Amino acid sequence: MTSARWLRIAPWLLVLAGCLAWMSGFLRVESSLSVFLPAERGRAGDALLDELRQGRGAQVILAAISGGSESERAAASRALADALRSDPAFSFVGNGADGLDPAVIELLFEHRYLLSPNVDAQRFTAESLHEQLQRRLETLSSPASVLERRFLPADPTAELSGVLQAWQPEQGPDRRHGVWFSPDGERALLLLRTRAEGFDLDRQQRTLDQVRAAFATAAPTGLTLALSGPGVFATQSKNTIERETKLISALDAIFAATLLLLAYRSGRRLLLATLPLGGAVLVAATVVDLLFDGIHGITLAFGATLIGVAMDYPVHLFSHLDGSAPPRQRLAKIWPTLRLGVITTVAGYAALAWTDFPGLTQLGVFAVTGLLCAAAITRWLLPDLLPESYGRPLGPWALAIASGALRAPRAAPLVAAAVAVAALGYIVLQRDRIWENDLAALSPIPEQARHLDQELREQLGAADVRDLVLIRAPDLETLLQRSEAAEPALTTLQRGGALGGFDLPSRYLPSQARQRQRQSSLPAGQELATALNAALEDLPFRPDAFQPFLQDVEKARAQAPLTLESLAGTPLELRLLPMLGRSGDGWHAFVPLSGIKARATVADTIAGAGITGVAYIDMRQASSDMVAGFRDEALDRMLWGAGAVVLCMWLGLRSLRATAAAAIPVAAAVVTDVALLLALGERLSLFHLISLLLVIGMGIDYSLFFRHQAGGDDQRQTVHALLLCAVSSSGVFALLGMSQLPVLRAIGLTAALGVCACFGFAWAFHRATGASADAACL
Amino acid sequence: MTIGKTRLRLSAALLLGLLLPPAWAGELTLEQLMAGLRARGDIRAQFVETKHLAVLRGVMEVRGTLEFRQPDYLKREHTSPRAEIYEIEAGTITISQPGKASKQVALADFPPLAAFIDSLRAILSGDADTIERLYRTELSGTDQAWTLTLTPRDRNLADYIDWVKLEGREQRLIRIETQEAIGDRSVLELK
């Protein structure tokens, strides 16, 4: 190689090596799905976005221990819970044995007259006191009364038990040996809440590993641990998708390599063919990482798919290398067409970058950078890596196939047009079932795992992640007041059976106003003493037995209310904090609803209560809306992109007629692709849309190259390249489309069908539109 | 099983005790006592419990039947002052009252209560190890009439109970006196 050539190659190698070094050393691949939600815009809906971003519902892990004997399962539950409670990765570990310690009970006891839901003006009349004392008297015969009796002189109205009921609900899972069990006793149950955000799949994965490791140390052999929950599902899907992707990628590589080897009978070309796409991924990933301070795993995966068209660039060059001229000159012949294809596609993908969704922006930048880089490598690097006189004419077989492909029957354009119109008609007929908004439909989680999740959720009484009441307020006090205002409606729903249970923050920490209200209902010393004496008249209690009660009520009349601050550092704070959230414009609380039987009734009742800042949210609906929003945004960008594509073509071809001729096959292919997908029973999701973008990119190239008519061998070489591109792309994506995983299937099927359609329409239309020598592109 | 046979076994145990050095006639060890209680097996007896409670003017009398089945089933059926049944099996207490749904409570939620019930079951089933794990013991009297005083070792239990004094004739438990930390005291006598 000449030194001039080395000088041209060296900068490329440096850039690629630099990107490779950056990728291996500094690249930050994120896995939080939250970048696929709109960026914060300071709107009122923020709390909901915040919830979706953090995936608080997704932080819950349900655990079940089975095998061994019942007492072994109980012991393992305790050992596991003890190990996890000291682990900072968990904000809550519940197994039924999380009783309150004496110091906490002391704190609650001290504030019982402000906290107990039973305290009101009627509570301390002679009549009410008499009734309460009568009840206490009855419990004195119990052998368990030793526990309550110590509180009796100071708390004859049993306010403490009223307070404790909020913290230690009597309902809840069955308990055996003091820990939660399934009703049949076969499984010991635990409920964990991770600190890692639900969508942070890597941290979720680590946390799950921690749970399994802790179980392995804590439990004897013979016991098994089953984990479930959104985080478990998400990491499982990720792992399954990664595994399947790896397998298919390997098959794809073998297929594509075999095809290229058969076509060119050259190991060198095979190797060089991977350079534009490989280099493009390296550079694009590095650029996105630098611009966005990290790249999302999905951007990487989608992006690499999206710029898959770059695999075609070297093929166009190789098919023209017949040894008649140095590679650089051969390339120059096809460069105008290739360049127009690249610029047009880049213009189409660039539209993705202008959006509020960081995920789409990243994807747009990735695709644009990648395509430009791949084109540049093909144009300026590849020819220098080939010897001056490299190349040999295509074999007779290849030429024969190419010549055959060029002869389209006269009726072809007509048939193609009819197909496209029929496809359009079909889409219009099917317009009501085009979109897939349910994320679950794309989930690769087996039915059996979903069934286990449902079962554990019911047994634990754990709220489904689906139904929530969102309470918003400018400050914590207002939030708690609104929470209190919502309680009657929710209680009514629960009594009516529409709702299994709910968990309001005000149940744990009443508002200051409510506490003050209770305080003001406490009678003055003399008044209370008189009522007590009257109540004691016919009871066997000592007249002076309840002096501590009189003193404590008097003290409570001047007591400062309990606040979030005064709970700081206690286990009570730990229980309360996960329910509360702070966002830019105030406080919010998510009240999980469990055991929903009548969703519409719940929604109507809560809306009907008309409490400011309190709203029922169906998370599935909300996330479907989010998905739809993201998809609509992508669709919107695609339409802008289509506009940009047409504009670019017109600028390049400088003829409206030629532009129409080049664009119509692509449009027809997209329409046919969508119609075929619908006919196969698919509903379009984001994954289909992204793949359609790829199809458009390839379609543009096919269409332009079919019109790149230079006559003779050159023309046949062009068609040879196109055939090779179409066969390899459709084969690669067809393999992906055979996957059982909905996401991979969506991408593979869309792209494979789309590539075939693009080639077909480009081929069918190229004669009809009078392929004149409009190769004077740009 | 006849009483005679049991007596014989107990006498044999005692005889063995007498023969072993150091030989001390008439004195009873915890192991011997427990062996005797264990040999007695299941129990069903009427009882009267007298509660001396600080909040009450007089005493409170609870009457009923106490039933124990090896190894851990315990039942108190009250007839007065009101009808109610406390049934304890393994880790759960079931409380039932006529005309009301029965209620289940996990002993593990109330550690002091659990410890107290464990100790009662340990005595009735003659489990010396558990007794000595939970309490410091002091045994006096003879095998004919003995008194076992238990002082809690566990702080959890000591918060509630100062001591428990058990009295018996031969291998029969006849009186349990409990002194609580808050000053209340109860005496349960078995017939």
Side-chain angles (χ1 to χ4, degrees):
Chain A
M1 253 185 241
T2 64
S3 57
R5 193 185 272 212
W6 268 115
L7 272 178
R8 289 201 297 270
I9 295 173
W12 284 106
L13 296 183
L14 276 178
V15 168
L16 292 182
C19 289
L20 191 63
W22 176 268
M23 272 187 89
S24 50
F26 303 100
L27 191 77
R28 288 201 320 120
V29 179
E30 298 161 29
S31 53
S32 165
L33 296 176
S34 61
V35 295
F36 289 90
L37 300 172
E40 196 137 21
R41 277 177 282 188
R43 285 173 307 140
D46 278 356
L48 181 59
L49 285 184
D50 196 48
E51 171 74 7
L52 280 171
R53 262 200 208 94
Q54 295 192 356
R56 218 184 300 243
Q59 288 172 325
V60 170
I61 299 174
L62 312 168
I65 299 171
S66 50
S69 70
E70 195 172 286
S71 58
E72 275 178 331
R73 291 192 286 276
S77 163
R78 280 176 196 276
L80 180 62
D82 286 346
L84 298 181
R85 281 194 186 110
S86 57
D87 188 330
F90 299 92
S91 65
F92 175 74
V93 175
N95 69 336
D98 47 343
L100 296 173
D101 62 65
V104 169
I105 293 183
E106 190 70 34
L107 181 73
L108 295 175
F109 186 68
E110 212 180 294
H111 290 85
R112 64 192 179 282
Y113 291 110
L114 305 187
L115 298 180
S116 167
N118 303 323
V119 169
D120 58 28
Q122 302 310 308
R123 187 69 166 174
F124 303 105
T125 60
E127 198 182 344
S128 159
L129 284 173
H130 183 270
E131 188 195 323
Q132 287 291 324
L133 286 166
Q134 186 78 47
R135 277 197 215 168
R136 298 297 97 71
L137 189 61
E138 283 174 11
T139 62
L140 287 181
S141 61
S142 155
S145 75
V146 58
L147 298 173
E148 297 158 15
R149 233 180 301 128
R150 63 172 42 204
F151 295 113
L152 183 55
D155 189 19
T157 54
E159 303 309 336
L160 180 64
S161 77
V163 176
L164 288 181
Q165 235 154 53
W167 296 92
Q168 296 173 320
E170 279 180 25
Q171 308 142 322
D174 284 12
R175 275 200 254 189
R176 300 183 186 209
H177 304 278
V179 297
W180 291 334
F181 262 88
S182 60
D184 61 4
E186 291 300 314
R187 293 186 191 128
L189 305 172
L190 294 95
L191 186 76
L192 317 173
R193 188 183 284 278
T194 66
R195 275 193 213 284
E197 291 179 358
F199 287 143
D200 189 342
L201 298 187
D202 291 336
R203 279 185 67 199
Q204 285 283 340
Q205 179 72 61
R206 279 202 296 280
T207 310
L208 292 173
D209 292 343
Q210 270 166 284
V211 177
R212 293 198 181 98
F215 179 74
T217 1
T221 48
L223 297 190
T224 52
L225 176 73
L227 298 176
S228 189
V232 180
F233 284 176
T235 49
Q236 262 176 15
S237 335
K238 182 170 165 252
N239 293 341
T240 317
I241 291 176
E242 277 179 2
R243 224 181 15 250
E244 187 130 350
T245 309
K246 270 184 198 148
L247 176 73
I248 296 178
S249 304
L251 289 175
D252 275 347
I254 293 171
F255 169 76
T258 313
L259 197 66
L260 287 179
L261 272 178
L262 279 175
Y264 296 127
R265 286 155 293 157
S266 155
R268 186 204 297 253
R269 290 193 199 185
L270 174 61
L271 218 62
L272 290 181
T274 61
L275 197 57
L277 183 59
V281 171
L282 274 182
V283 173
T286 308
V287 166
V288 169
D289 185 49
L290 287 173
L291 280 181
F292 295 89
D293 203 17
I295 183 168
H296 196 281
I298 295 184
T299 309
L300 202 56
F302 275 7
T305 310
L306 205 48
I307 62 175
V309 64
M311 201 66 206
D312 293 353
Y313 297 169
V315 173
H316 290 303
L317 169 64
F318 293 160
S319 287
H320 283 86
L321 292 179
D322 52 9
S324 65
R328 193 162 279 280
Q329 280 179 32
R330 296 299 297 157
L331 181 80
K333 276 202 83 129
I334 57 162
W335 176 240
T337 305
L338 187 60
R339 181 179 54 192
L340 181 59
V342 172
I343 290 175
T344 309
T345 311
V346 161
Y349 291 175
L352 287 180
W354 276 272
T355 167
D356 268 335
F357 294 82
L360 272 186
T361 314
Q362 279 193 15
L363 197 56
V365 170
F366 187 99
V368 166
T369 318
L371 282 185
L372 290 176
C373 178
I377 289 177
T378 310
R379 174 71 181 85
W380 288 289
L381 179 60
L382 277 193
D384 277 331
L385 296 176
L386 295 164
E388 282 295 316
S389 59
Y390 184 79
R392 54 173 171 261
L394 291 173
W397 275 98
L399 284 175
I401 293 173
S403 305
L406 269 173
R407 282 192 298 274
R410 228 167 242 295
L414 220 62
V415 173
V419 167
V421 170
L424 190 62
Y426 185 71
I427 294 175
V428 172
L429 282 178
Q430 299 284 321
R431 64 188 175 279
D432 291 335
R433 48 167 297 268
I434 292 180
W435 304 115
E436 180 62 80
N437 288 335
D438 187 3
L439 274 182
L442 295 169
S443 160
I445 298 302
E447 187 57 35
Q448 192 190 351
R450 275 190 254 191
H451 182 70
L452 173 74
D453 189 69
Q454 198 54 42
E455 213 173 279
L456 293 182
R457 228 165 249 292
E458 271 165 27
Q459 290 171 355
L460 273 166
D464 207 325
V465 269
R466 180 164 176 185
D467 303 281
L468 288 172
V469 168
L470 170 62
I471 307 176
R472 275 200 305 259
D475 53 69
L476 181 60
E477 171 63 11
T478 317
L479 182 90
L480 293 171
Q481 288 178 18
R482 288 176 180 173
S483 164
E484 281 156 357
E487 184 154 12
L490 291 171
T491 310
T492 311
L493 285 168
Q494 192 180 19
R495 293 219 178 103
L499 179 63
F502 57 91
D503 209 14
L504 288 166
S506 57
R507 188 183 277 181
Y508 303 89
L509 180 63
S511 67
Q512 308 280 301
R514 180 61 60 91
Q515 293 189 52
R516 295 263 180 230
Q517 185 193 334
R518 286 184 187 134
Q519 199 167 33
S520 68
S521 71
L522 296 173
Q526 196 46 52
E527 194 189 333
L528 183 62
T530 314
L532 179 64
N533 281 337
L536 285 171
E537 207 143 285
D538 60 342
L539 294 172
F541 289 107
R542 262 186 235 279
D544 59 347
F546 301 105
Q547 278 306 311
F549 165 58
L550 297 176
Q551 287 160 11
D552 281 5
V553 172
E554 190 57 31
K555 210 161 61 188
R557 279 161 53 87
Q559 199 172 27
L562 199 68
T563 60
L564 189 59
E565 289 75 39
S566 53
L567 292 177
T570 67
L572 301 185
E573 188 195 25
L574 285 184
R575 290 273 278 276
L576 198 54
L577 279 186
M579 309 179 79
L580 301 172
R582 277 183 103 151
S583 44
D585 50 352
W587 287 74
H588 59 261
F590 284 96
V591 180
L593 306 178
S594 60
I596 294 260
K597 295 278 183 297
R599 194 158 272 122
T601 315
V602 172
D604 291 349
T605 309
I606 294 169
I611 307 155
T612 320
V614 175
Y616 163 77
I617 294 168
D618 180 344
M619 281 301 269
R620 186 188 284 179
Q621 187 61 46
S623 64
S624 288
D625 290 350
M626 293 269 177
V627 172
F630 187 66
R631 193 203 54 222
D632 288 349
E633 179 79 6
L635 193 63
D636 189 52
R637 296 294 109 193
M638 276 177 79
L639 291 177
W640 280 101
V645 163
V646 172
L647 189 69
C648 267
M649 280 187 172
W650 179 65
L651 285 175
L653 298 170
R654 291 185 206 114
S655 143
L656 269 181
R657 192 166 167 234
T659 304
I664 282 172
V666 183
V670 169
V671 167
T672 310
D673 192 2
V674 170
L676 284 173
L677 288 171
L678 293 178
L680 285 172
E682 295 276 299
R683 281 171 171 236
L684 301 197
S685 68
L686 185 65
F687 303 98
H688 297 92
L689 284 190
I690 300 284
S691 314
L692 279 177
L693 277 174
L694 167 70
V695 168
I696 292 173
M698 293 191 163
I700 290 169
D701 278 1
Y702 295 172
S703 189
L704 289 176
F705 270 103
F706 257 115
R707 308 181 49 71
H708 168 88
Q709 307 277 327
D713 270 2
D714 201 36
Q715 191 176 349
R716 282 197 284 275
Q717 285 161 0
T718 302
V719 174
H720 177 266
L722 284 175
L723 261 175
L724 198 53
C725 291
V727 172
S728 90
S729 300
S730 56
V732 160
F733 285 109
L735 279 172
L736 197 61
M738 278 186 253
S739 166
Q740 292 303 305
L741 299 181
V743 173
L744 300 186
R745 191 178 132 87
I747 296 174
L749 214 55
T750 312
L753 292 172
V755 166
C756 293
C758 279
F759 187 88
F761 281 106
W763 169 78
F765 280 125
H766 85 278
R767 280 212 173 262
T769 51
S772 57
D774 53 23
C777 309
L778 283 179
Chain B
M1 186 175 73
T2 66
I3 297 292
K5 234 183 192 169
T6 318
R7 278 228 179 113
L8 198 67
R9 216 184 290 165
L10 183 65
S11 314
L14 289 178
L15 193 66
L16 199 67
L18 286 174
L19 291 175
L20 291 170
W24 17 275
E27 284 229 19
L28 184 66
T29 69
L30 186 65
E31 284 69 32
Q32 288 163 354
L33 175 64
M34 287 298 151
L37 288 168
R38 188 162 58 236
R40 192 177 144 78
D42 297 351
I43 295 165
R44 191 183 154 87
Q46 293 200 319
F47 74 87
V48 180
E49 186 179 27
T50 316
K51 293 186 159 201
H52 305 264
L53 308 182
V55 291
L56 294 183
R57 279 201 298 264
V59 295
M60 173 180 240
E61 236 181 44
V62 181
R63 287 169 186 279
T65 316
L66 186 75
E67 197 179 330
F68 174 74
R69 286 203 296 266
Q70 303 272 9
D72 61 1
Y73 175 84
L74 194 60
K75 181 175 166 187
R76 275 175 70 131
E77 192 168 349
H78 294 187
T79 50
S80 147
R82 51 188 191 136
E84 52 193 344
I85 300 171
Y86 297 86
E87 230 177 332
I88 304 164
E89 196 160 15
T92 312
I93 310 186
T94 311
I95 303 164
S96 21
Q97 286 167 7
K100 283 192 190 173
S102 65
K103 203 169 101 178
Q104 287 210 330
V105 179
L107 274 180
D109 289 344
F110 305 97
L113 189 63
F116 185 66
I117 286 171
D118 281 349
S119 58
L120 189 59
R121 288 197 287 212
I123 288 160
L124 294 173
S125 64
D127 176 358
D129 288 348
T130 301
I131 290 292
E132 291 203 283
R133 185 165 51 80
L134 293 169
Y135 300 93
R136 282 188 297 278
T137 59
E138 196 190 313
L139 184 60
S140 62
T142 63
D143 60 309
Q144 290 302 305
W146 46 267
T147 304
L148 176 64
T149 309
L150 307 174
T151 322
R153 288 181 196 274
D154 179 42
R155 221 181 59 87
N156 234 328
L157 195 52
D159 273 353
Y160 287 87
I161 288 164
D162 282 351
W163 47 259
V164 182
K165 200 154 85 184
L166 303 146
E167 288 174 31
R169 300 268 176 279
E170 296 167 352
Q171 67 272 61
R172 206 157 55 83
L173 182 65
I174 57 168
R175 190 170 184 275
I176 306 172
E177 185 177 349
T178 311
Q179 176 66 50
E180 290 177 27
I182 54 169
D184 290 350
R185 189 169 63 90
S186 73
V187 177
L188 186 143
E189 287 175 299
L190 288 158
K191 283 180 188 153

